Amino acid sequence: MTAALAQSYHYLYASALAPAAAGSQLALASSSAGLHPHFFSGQFLQPRLVAELLSTVHRTVAARFYTPANTLAKAIAAADPIVTAGGGLLRFEGFSGCGSTHVRVDLLPAAYAGEFVGNGCTNVDFNAPMRAALSRVREDEALFCEVGRSELALRSAGGEVVEKKVPLPTRWLRGLLEVQAYQARMRCQLEASGLQALRFFRSLPKASTSRTPLWIAAGPQGLSLGATPRPGAVRCVDVQRLRLLEPLLARAQALRLYADEAQQASAWELEFGSTRITLTLSAETWRGFSGEGQALRALIRADDEAALAALRAQLRWQAQLDATALAVQLQLTPERVNSALQRLANSGLVGFDLHAGSYFHRELPLQRDWIADFHPRLQAARELLAQQAVRLQGALAEVRSGETLYTLRRLAGSWRCTCPWFAKHQGERGPCKHVLAAEALEEQGENAT
Amino acid sequence: MSVFSAENDLERAIQAGDPDSVCRLALALGEREREALRPRLRLLHKRLEVRRWSPSDAELLRWWGQPVTTSQAAALQAGIYLCGNLKDVHAAHVRDDLLLPLAKAHRPAWVAELAEESVAWQFGTWQAFHLAGLCPRPQGEAYLLRLMASARWRKDLDATLAADPGLYDGTLLRLLEIEGNADTSLAGVDKYSGSKLGTWTEFFLEQMQTGRIARSDVLDRLLAALECDWPQFRSGWHSRLHGLMQPSVEEMAARCARYRGLCHSRIPPTVTLALEALGQLQQAGVLPAAELLPALRAASATAVKSHWELLLRLLTEAVRQAPDQAAAAAQVALQGLVLEAPPLQKKLLLFIKAHGDVELRAGLADYLALIAPSNQALLQSLLPQPAAPTAPVALALPPARPPLSPLAPERRLTPIADLDELLERAAYLLENEQDCDELERVIEAMTRLAPQVQEQAARFKPLLKRAAKLKKALARDFGQFLVLALGGAALPSPNSWDYHCHTHSGHHLLVQRLAELAAWVRSGIACAPLAVATHRGGFIDPAVLLQRQLDWPAALPEPSEREQRSALQRLAPGPHPTVLAQLQALPPTAFRLAFAAALQQPPTAPRPYQWRFTSETWQHGEQSGVHHRAFIEPEPKGAPNQLAWLALHQPGAYFGEGYREHQTEGMVFYAASLQPAHLEDVLAEGARRLSNNLDWWEAQWPNRAFLQLLLNPCTPMTPMALHCLAFGLAGKEPGQTAVAVDALLQATLQGRLQPKAIGTLLGTLLNGPMLKPARLAKALAAAKRLDPLGPRLVLEVLQALVAALESAPKDLGSLLELLHETGLELQAPLPTPALERLTTLACVGRAKALQKQLLG
């Protein structure tokens, strides 16, 4: 059974789109740990596009591309999207109910005329009436927006308080954190113009392809779809998830496809000039991102508290965290900075911007104690180390787990295990607990010498 | 457990099964006294609850003294209602018929809450509660959904409304505002209740006609619901009701902004509704072009051709009404050029030609690559500076070549080096049963390293632990092999027969093989089994087989006849004169003679039988269908080939039809590896399965494995391979089709397949009822996009297809359009056989127009 943590949302009013003097006013209610911060007040310069982008975020959080058989009858409440204001950017983030699809909309400074009252990260209320109203936004009408309200406005405005309690499964929370680890490993593999992207999306199968991995590659007439891997191709399972982007394609200037080396996830970025949307898809819809464990290695080496603390002190809602510059500034090696950034990402303190190729500061509005020690494999590996269950013998290692003795062998610089987890995934979903413990012990030995 | 003993009058009344007395006694008590009774009553309920699933529970009978009667249970429920709280009442499942009299006698504060929470399954009861004035009308969605579901029986709905006219005060209208769920929605109720029982659509139309519900209220709510972009099935109900209401121009004009907003919808029927409404407003002259065009620009994101027909009509009218908006209208039309529909593209280009300004025409250059070849000339004429014509690249398809030799060096299975690697690969195999090449590698290593395996058997413990938990056929069998090889007892046997009591002879072959191999490993004597593959796909290098036979340890019993036969069936084809000479120089044995005979058989020697494919129509009462089957001709008298014999007499038996754990991709690959040089038998079974599931009426994922066999560069494209490919291309499941498209392309690029062969087969199959031309056209269009040689391949396939047609199938237009456009793209005229055949075809509609164009 999946454990769930109850996330409470408390909004002083419901987000709404209301007619204003010279157009419409989008009031987004904020909620973060009992506070109702006020971040932004201004006007969007491409109202229709922003309305569609926000609708896409709403549709993503409400989507569920995979329903486990045992939860078929259970209604899964959608978690509210997250907005980050910092470095002159407004970023709206959402995660599908099944934990297989992550969406982020970046509104760059050219997308708005307004001011940032404050920087920070908070949940915002997205509701069905607001989304219905967004569908009526027209390009030639002004769209004003405020994220949160000033205290004065809060006092003068009435409105019904909105309270929601959403049980967030731990796998969902883990997935939300794991997405950053994947994004940080991705590289841009394919690029297409807006027109080519539109043509490609229209050629995608209408039915679900959740059982057959498809490979997207550059073909003679733009992007093409095949069933076998080709050089430079990007793997994608269940292209249904891409339908979320369909309403935006007519306006897109470019499409960029990112993928990690092991083809375990892909990210689809649509560029609109002053705005961007990035849809990150897990390798399989049933897998989500929670069981991936890409950051486990960084987490188990969590002994560099000095680097972590130094880096944390530098977080000031920057839109980009330049690892090289930070390394120079903090007099640390780039590896230590990168490792610390990975750990911060796994704690929900930074996100990753694929377009910029760098992390950015954003603190997920989740309870800190939820985020700590989320990974069962990490905990199990630590237990193995504590029990001194790992024995290294050159290119071999033995790990005793309960009454079972697993044999590990080193091949091409990495450990391979005989446990069912490793046998099934071959290390593509992160190391198993045995490999993790062996690596940690090996590193401890190296450090000691 | 002691015996129940009533402690007070209330418990005695419960034991007597007298709910009336329970009521009387409880109500006579004060609130605190009633509350004091609550713990005992809860405990009593908990104990008696056992009766629900075990009425004759011995312990319960002993404690209660008798079976719990219905009246005793009712009396207890009454007691709980009167003395307990909301949670207790929920837990006690108080009967519907008890609730109303109880609530009339005693009305606790939580009754309204109880109504809200339990209305979903006690709708009638809570409706009665409300009518009796015991609780306000529940406000939650559950109440509305239950009300919605009541229309499944229209008479019930009429009775409900007659009894509760208050429903007209907004509640009925709220039904239009909720999406519903998988069980209940307006669309679902109407679709599945059937027209005989009455539908919500009819109900709302009637109510509006009689004036009980205002049209404007319904209209507003319909539009609000459509703005939510619910899934098409659910929102389609709202757009249909809107259509049936036939709103007047005045009604629509008052809601013009909402209709414009609906043009942004991603639900096609909603966009249709919006465009039609805007069309009426435009005709009535109440919608200026300047206001209409932004909405049309939003709708231009649509990929639906019929939307574009509507859009073009609206754009034409907009330009007629406001000529100054011509350029803006042409800008909207530009968006439609992305659609892969040559006739539509032509209409749009003509519109742009008439109304586009110079700037817009210059922008058309971006669309050059997207415009169909038949429209290229028109597009060029619109460009301010015509682009240089691009001559077709003279790419030719590779000539026919034999498939790659199965003994090619890159196909050799690298032996496992040591026990450490063996352990890891064996663990991998337990989790990845579809990797049959790895199965061969591991088996080879297990037997070769048998002494070490026995010596270090303890290291296999984690694998043995896992083996006992596996269920999939091949993984489980391999697990069984490990257990037996290491001296363990056999695992419990899986079912070896299907629902029709057919035994799995094929599966038995595998089990027998693994049991024999396990015995050799258990002996601790290193050996090289004869039938273990040396190359991918199950092939054995004859030189290696000869060496294995010579090296067979004397301490082990001779390999069984099954093992010997399996080894010979896996021999790689081709002349092997050196091996043959060595073999003939050895003293003859039965095996060596058979081995020599196998080597002397030419690879292209005719088989004693051929596979044929037919379709049979069946009819049972009103139902009819087509069943496809593969059969052997001539039918062999004996069993010349075990696989063929099995496939002939027990279709699917080899793969375990009916027994799902045996229906895995791994089993298909394993079956293919048993006689890898003669895949015709396996592929015949594949063709049978694929053809009988073209419309994907049942999810049969393992069938994809038959198509994956065609990706193998060693697989010759025999008649049954071509059938598999044809059915893969024409199937509905997109993943399966994608594999077939890749197989078509790869087989052609490798020279294994000539487009004419598959084209002719597709044409022949199109003469029957199996294939749908539109689906086939889509698959071929995908092949065209995949590779620079794609257009040439598709053209040749289509030319052969047309030449093989006997009559024009329905919807031939899609294929002719692809042929026409590809021919223009490559500037290739139609060859004579196709031309002559096309002349004789009686085409209709779009196909007829294309036929004319193709015939020039």
Side-chain angles (χ1 to χ4, degrees):
Chain A
M1 203 173 82
T2 309
L5 301 164
Q7 168 84 336
S8 297
Y9 298 111
H10 179 271
Y11 301 106
L12 295 177
Y13 53 95
S15 295
L17 182 75
S24 307
Q25 171 79 25
L26 177 64
L28 293 172
S30 62
S31 161
S32 182
L35 302 172
H36 306 93
H38 181 210
F39 290 147
F40 176 78
S41 212
Q43 181 187 350
F44 292 131
L45 301 179
Q46 289 178 288
R48 183 63 226 159
L49 176 62
V50 173
E52 281 176 0
L53 287 167
L54 295 183
S55 292
T56 306
V57 174
H58 190 212
R59 282 213 313 278
T60 307
V61 297
R64 192 169 179 84
F65 298 100
Y66 173 73
T67 308
N70 57 352
T71 60
L72 206 61
K74 194 178 167 188
I76 307 288
D80 281 346
I82 295 158
V83 63
T84 305
L89 267 73
L90 262 184
R91 302 180 198 258
F92 291 88
E93 217 171 322
F95 201 39
S96 68
C98 57
S100 75
T101 309
H102 176 263
V103 69
R104 202 185 62 240
V105 168
D106 297 336
L107 302 180
L108 309 182
Y112 59 83
E115 56 166 340
F116 280 86
V117 184
N119 289 328
C121 186
T122 178
N123 283 107
V124 278
D125 172 42
F126 269 35
N127 51 58
M130 186 193 89
R131 200 191 125 200
L134 280 174
S135 75
R136 291 197 291 271
V137 171
R138 290 167 55 183
E139 193 65 55
D140 53 355
E141 286 177 355
L143 177 62
F144 300 95
C145 174
E146 53 177 8
V147 179
R149 275 183 189 163
S150 66
E151 278 195 38
L152 184 71
L154 279 174
R155 275 201 296 273
S156 58
E160 199 180 332
V161 170
V162 179
E163 289 202 57
K164 286 189 267 184
K165 231 175 206 174
V166 177
L168 296 179
T170 48
R171 67 181 292 275
W172 187 94
L173 287 165
R174 272 207 308 270
L176 182 60
L177 300 173
E178 196 74 29
V179 172
Q180 322 303 324
Y182 261 116
Q183 287 177 333
R185 287 158 179 261
M186 288 181 182
R187 298 289 170 269
C188 184
Q189 305 275 2
L190 293 167
E191 204 165 346
S193 70
L195 282 175
Q196 284 175 335
L198 189 56
R199 174 64 72 91
F200 169 70
F201 270 70
R202 286 187 178 163
S203 72
L204 291 176
K206 298 269 185 296
S208 166
T209 54
S210 62
R211 297 292 284 264
T212 312
L214 296 176
W215 296 82
I216 293 105
Q221 300 170 343
L223 298 178
S224 66
L225 199 67
T228 46
R230 281 169 287 169
V234 172
R235 184 182 185 274
C236 182
V237 172
D238 198 2
V239 289
Q240 286 278 67
R241 293 183 281 178
L242 295 174
R243 300 244 165 255
L244 290 167
L245 295 178
E246 225 168 17
L248 301 163
L249 287 163
R251 294 163 176 275
Q253 293 173 5
L255 166 73
R256 284 184 206 92
L257 251 96
Y258 299 82
D260 62 315
E261 212 171 297
Q263 296 281 357
Q264 290 299 295
S266 61
W268 299 66
E269 179 192 273
L270 285 183
E271 168 83 56
F272 303 95
S274 59
T275 53
R276 289 190 294 264
I277 184 167
T278 312
L279 198 70
T280 309
L281 311 179
S282 66
E284 315 278 351
T285 47
W286 54 266
R287 251 165 69 171
F289 282 98
S290 70
E292 304 304 301
Q294 298 302 319
L296 288 173
R297 289 192 169 96
L299 290 176
I300 203 156
R301 291 174 196 144
D303 53 355
D304 198 356
E305 295 304 326
L308 195 68
L311 203 61
R312 214 170 156 168
Q314 296 298 317
L315 298 180
R316 291 187 195 94
W317 301 105
Q318 298 95 322
Q320 283 185 36
L321 290 164
D322 184 344
T324 318
L326 283 168
V328 174
Q329 190 184 342
L330 300 172
Q331 296 182 331
L332 296 168
T333 61
E335 291 75 31
R336 284 179 72 189
V337 171
N338 269 322
S339 177
L341 281 170
Q342 273 187 44
R343 284 180 60 197
L344 289 176
N346 221 264
S347 312
L349 294 178
V350 295
F352 194 83
D353 185 336
L354 272 166
H355 188 83
S358 67
Y359 288 94
F360 64 91
H361 182 202
R362 70 104 166 80
E363 296 185 4
L364 287 178
L366 299 170
Q367 288 181 34
R368 293 291 110 198
D369 55 331
W370 287 0
I371 294 171
D373 284 343
F374 247 160
H375 297 278
R377 265 184 280 167
L378 184 66
Q379 288 176 16
R382 283 181 179 148
E383 276 169 30
L384 289 173
L385 286 171
Q387 292 163 6
Q388 299 185 326
V390 187
R391 201 154 56 94
L392 297 174
Q393 299 169 317
L396 290 177
E398 281 181 351
V399 182
R400 183 167 292 282
S401 183
E403 289 181 5
T404 314
L405 189 69
Y406 292 99
T407 309
L408 278 66
R409 74 183 181 113
R410 188 198 288 283
L411 192 72
S414 55
W415 290 103
R416 302 181 70 80
C417 186
T418 49
C419 73
W421 170 273
F422 191 92
K424 194 171 175 90
H425 305 297
Q426 298 291 294
E428 285 176 345
R429 297 181 67 181
C432 64
K433 60 184 178 183
H434 313 107
V435 168
L436 205 54
E439 283 180 355
L441 187 67
E442 195 176 34
E443 195 158 305
Q444 282 170 18
E446 280 169 16
N447 291 343
T449 54
Chain B
M1 195 186 267
S2 58
V3 176
F4 171 75
S5 162
E7 284 189 0
N8 51 48
D9 288 348
L10 193 82
E11 289 182 6
R12 272 186 281 278
I14 290 170
Q15 202 168 23
D18 185 355
D20 292 340
S21 295
V22 170
C23 271
R24 188 170 39 77
L25 288 165
L27 291 171
L29 300 171
E31 198 175 328
R32 285 200 174 174
E33 288 166 306
R34 279 204 302 271
E35 209 176 310
L37 293 171
R38 183 178 159 238
R40 280 272 304 176
L41 290 175
R42 285 180 61 195
L43 192 67
L44 191 56
H45 169 258
K46 199 175 170 186
R47 289 199 169 165
L48 297 191
E49 186 68 357
V50 178
R51 79 187 162 89
R52 287 166 70 89
W53 60 87
S54 178
S56 52
D57 181 82
E59 235 170 87
L60 175 69
L61 287 176
R62 199 165 49 249
W63 182 72
W64 189 243
Q66 64 172 109
V68 185
T69 63
T70 313
S71 56
Q72 285 172 336
L76 175 60
Q77 288 182 348
I80 286 176
Y81 176 88
L82 295 164
C83 304
N85 59 22
L86 176 64
K87 204 174 158 189
D88 301 332
V89 175
H90 269 311
H93 306 288
V94 180
R95 275 166 35 190
D96 288 12
D97 59 327
L98 281 178
L99 277 172
L100 190 59
L102 283 170
K104 279 182 179 169
H106 175 61
R107 190 178 161 188
W110 40 260
V111 164
E113 203 182 333
L114 181 65
E116 196 74 60
E117 286 176 13
S118 53
V119 70
W121 59 90
Q122 292 171 317
F123 180 74
T125 307
W126 292 107
Q127 190 65 17
F129 262 58
H130 171 65
L131 292 176
L134 294 170
C135 68
R137 188 185 304 287
Q139 294 299 310
E141 200 170 298
Y143 177 76
L144 294 174
L145 285 173
R146 201 64 191 86
L147 178 61
M148 203 183 266
S150 69
R152 288 198 172 118
W153 296 274
R154 178 64 189 274
K155 60 179 179 13
D156 289 356
L157 176 64
D158 289 341
T160 307
L161 288 169
D164 185 8
L167 285 168
Y168 284 103
D169 298 338
T171 307
L172 285 171
L173 283 170
R174 282 188 61 206
L175 294 180
L176 300 171
E177 295 171 356
I178 58 168
E179 183 185 351
N181 52 37
D183 293 328
T184 309
S185 65
L186 290 168
V189 171
D190 277 13
K191 183 173 178 185
Y192 300 113
S193 68
S195 56
K196 286 175 195 167
L197 299 169
T199 61
W200 276 110
T201 308
E202 289 167 7
F203 172 80
F204 277 106
L205 288 172
E206 277 170 27
Q207 300 299 318
M208 282 186 281
Q209 210 168 13
T210 56
R212 303 283 315 252
I213 295 179
R215 271 175 70 87
S216 60
D217 287 344
V218 173
L219 204 50
D220 283 337
R221 279 164 178 81
L222 286 181
L223 295 180
L226 290 170
E227 282 165 355
C228 293
D229 267 4
W230 292 332
Q232 186 167 330
F233 176 69
R234 291 175 202 163
S235 62
W237 183 91
H238 292 75
S239 37
R240 280 193 296 278
L241 180 59
H242 180 277
L244 291 168
M245 281 175 70
Q246 297 181 329
S248 65
V249 170
E250 290 73 27
E251 284 174 319
M252 288 193 286
R255 296 165 180 85
C256 185
R258 303 187 83 165
Y259 287 110
R260 288 200 310 250
L262 289 179
C263 285
H264 292 286
S265 174
R266 61 194 181 94
I267 306 298
T270 307
V271 178
T272 310
L273 175 153
L275 290 175
E276 283 173 351
L278 293 179
Q280 287 185 49
L281 294 173
Q282 185 192 41
Q283 286 295 332
V286 294
L287 181 59
E291 280 189 31
L292 173 69
L293 287 176
L296 298 189
R297 194 173 301 125
S300 70
T302 180
V304 181
K305 283 181 207 162
S306 61
H307 286 166
W308 271 102
E309 301 290 346
L310 271 171
L311 272 166
L312 257 178
R313 217 183 307 152
L314 287 167
L315 289 171
T316 311
E317 181 60 21
V319 174
R320 194 190 63 77
Q321 287 181 7
D324 60 318
Q325 295 291 328
Q331 188 71 45
V332 176
L334 192 67
Q335 308 295 321
L337 294 178
V338 186
L339 260 75
E340 286 182 275
L344 179 68
Q345 281 182 348
K346 189 177 178 182
K347 284 182 194 171
L348 291 166
L349 284 171
L350 290 173
F351 185 85
I352 291 167
K353 184 179 181 182
H355 306 294
D357 54 20
V358 181
E359 195 185 338
L360 181 75
R361 288 181 176 205
L364 281 173
D366 295 342
Y367 290 80
L368 264 170
L370 304 177
I371 295 294
S374 60
N375 293 322
Q376 283 285 341
L378 178 56
L379 178 70
Q380 290 279 1
S381 73
L382 296 181
L383 294 173
Q385 288 178 329
T390 49
V393 186
L395 289 173
L397 293 175
R401 278 195 298 262
L404 180 71
S405 164
L407 299 184
E410 67 268 26
R411 298 193 60 83
R412 182 170 171 263
L413 293 175
T414 316
I416 286 173
D418 51 30
L419 197 67
D420 300 323
E421 189 185 351
L422 172 60
L423 269 170
E424 190 225 311
R425 298 323 292 166
Y428 162 84
L429 199 56
L430 288 173
E431 309 300 329
N432 298 277
E433 54 94 37
Q434 74 285 1
D435 195 342
C436 290
D437 289 333
E438 204 61 20
L439 175 70
E440 300 296 324
R441 280 184 78 214
V442 171
I443 286 173
E444 189 274 335
M446 285 288 285
T447 47
R448 175 165 48 85
L449 303 172
Q452 291 156 268
V453 169
Q454 294 305 325
E455 205 177 286
Q456 300 187 43
R459 294 179 67 189
F460 284 83
K461 266 191 181 171
L463 277 62
L464 301 184
K465 187 178 156 191
R466 178 72 183 144
K469 296 176 185 170
L470 297 170
K471 288 195 174 152
K472 280 193 174 178
L474 260 171
R476 195 183 189 293
D477 296 331
F478 175 67
Q480 170 83 74
F481 160 75
L482 283 180
V483 172
L484 291 176
L486 292 156
L491 299 171
S493 173
N495 288 343
S496 283
W497 52 85
D498 64 16
Y499 300 141
H500 309 292
C501 294
H502 293 148
T503 54
H504 292 283
S505 310
H507 184 240
H508 280 171
L509 283 178
L510 171 65
V511 173
Q512 284 168 10
R513 180 188 180 205
L514 291 175
E516 189 175 2
L517 288 163
W520 292 335
V521 179
R522 206 167 47 234
S523 73
I525 301 169
C527 67
L530 300 184
V532 167
T534 59
H535 288 70
R536 286 166 61 187
F539 286 100
I540 294 180
D541 182 347
V544 177
L545 179 59
L546 178 60
Q547 199 57 48
R548 284 176 182 171
Q549 206 267 333
L550 292 172
D551 294 346
W552 187 255
L556 284 177
E558 278 294 306
S560 67
E561 193 188 318
R562 182 210 47 74
E563 178 76 2
Q564 294 180 24
R565 194 176 60 239
S566 291
L568 297 180
Q569 282 178 337
R570 284 184 151 185
L571 277 179
H576 302 283
T578 320
V579 182
L580 186 61
Q582 286 175 337
L583 199 55
Q584 285 168 340
L586 292 168
T589 62
F591 176 73
R592 284 175 190 161
L593 288 172
F595 191 177
L599 289 180
Q600 282 168 315
Q601 194 176 25
T604 51
R607 306 282 283 167
Y609 54 83
Q610 296 285 320
W611 283 96
R612 276 200 55 208
F613 208 85
T614 61
S615 304
E616 295 156 0
T617 309
W618 56 265
Q619 185 143 16
H620 287 301
E622 289 181 2
Q623 288 188 321
S624 64
V626 184
H627 180 76
H628 314 294
R629 74 183 187 102
F631 65 94
I632 289 174
E633 198 178 65
E635 187 170 331
K637 290 195 172 65
N641 174 304
Q642 198 167 8
L643 291 177
W645 186 251
L646 284 167
L648 177 65
H649 291 280
Q650 297 178 16
Y654 188 79
F655 307 100
E657 186 159 72
Y659 187 57
R660 292 188 179 277
E661 282 169 14
H662 287 189
Q663 285 187 33
T664 63
E665 290 188 21
M667 283 304 286
V668 175
F669 291 135
Y670 186 72
S673 78
L674 289 177
Q675 256 194 315
H678 299 287
L679 289 178
E680 199 70 340
D681 303 327
V682 172
L683 292 172
E685 170 64 9
R688 185 189 72 80
R689 284 203 203 177
L690 290 165
S691 63
N692 284 303
N693 199 27
L694 281 177
D695 292 332
W696 202 245
W697 69 274
E698 186 183 23
Q700 294 176 350
W701 301 108
N703 289 358
R704 192 176 40 193
F706 293 106
L707 295 167
Q708 281 167 339
L709 290 174
L710 306 182
L711 292 167
N712 185 341
C714 302
T715 303
M717 296 305 283
T718 53
M720 284 301 120
L722 289 174
H723 274 82
C724 277
L725 183 59
F727 297 135
L729 290 171
K732 189 179 179 186
E733 204 279 308
Q736 203 170 273
T737 309
V739 179
V741 167
D742 270 16
L744 170 71
L745 201 67
Q746 287 192 24
T748 309
L749 298 182
Q750 289 159 0
R752 286 186 288 136
L753 171 68
Q754 289 306 295
K756 193 179 172 186
I758 184 69
T760 307
L761 176 63
L762 286 169
T764 313
L765 291 171
L766 275 171
N767 294 322
M770 290 193 212
L771 310 191
K772 290 183 180 167
R775 220 182 261 167
L776 196 57
K778 219 170 162 185
L780 292 175
K784 200 176 150 184
R785 278 192 291 267
L786 213 52
D787 191 88
L789 277 172
R792 172 63 59 188
L793 162 66
V794 169
L795 182 71
E796 291 188 21
V797 168
L798 285 171
Q799 287 170 348
L801 181 152
V802 169
L805 286 175
E806 287 168 11
S807 59
K810 195 182 158 195
D811 209 12
L812 180 65
S814 50
L815 284 169
L816 291 185
E817 187 172 280
L818 189 61
L819 174 63
H820 179 52
E821 296 297 339
T822 316
L824 287 174
E825 186 184 337
L826 299 176
Q827 295 178 9
L830 208 57
T832 314
L835 206 63
E836 284 174 356
R837 179 61 64 190
L838 194 61
T839 319
T840 63
L841 294 178
C843 299
V844 288
R846 170 97 188 113
K848 193 170 185 178
L850 282 157
Q851 185 187 27
K852 268 187 187 173
Q853 288 177 26
L854 281 162
L855 293 173

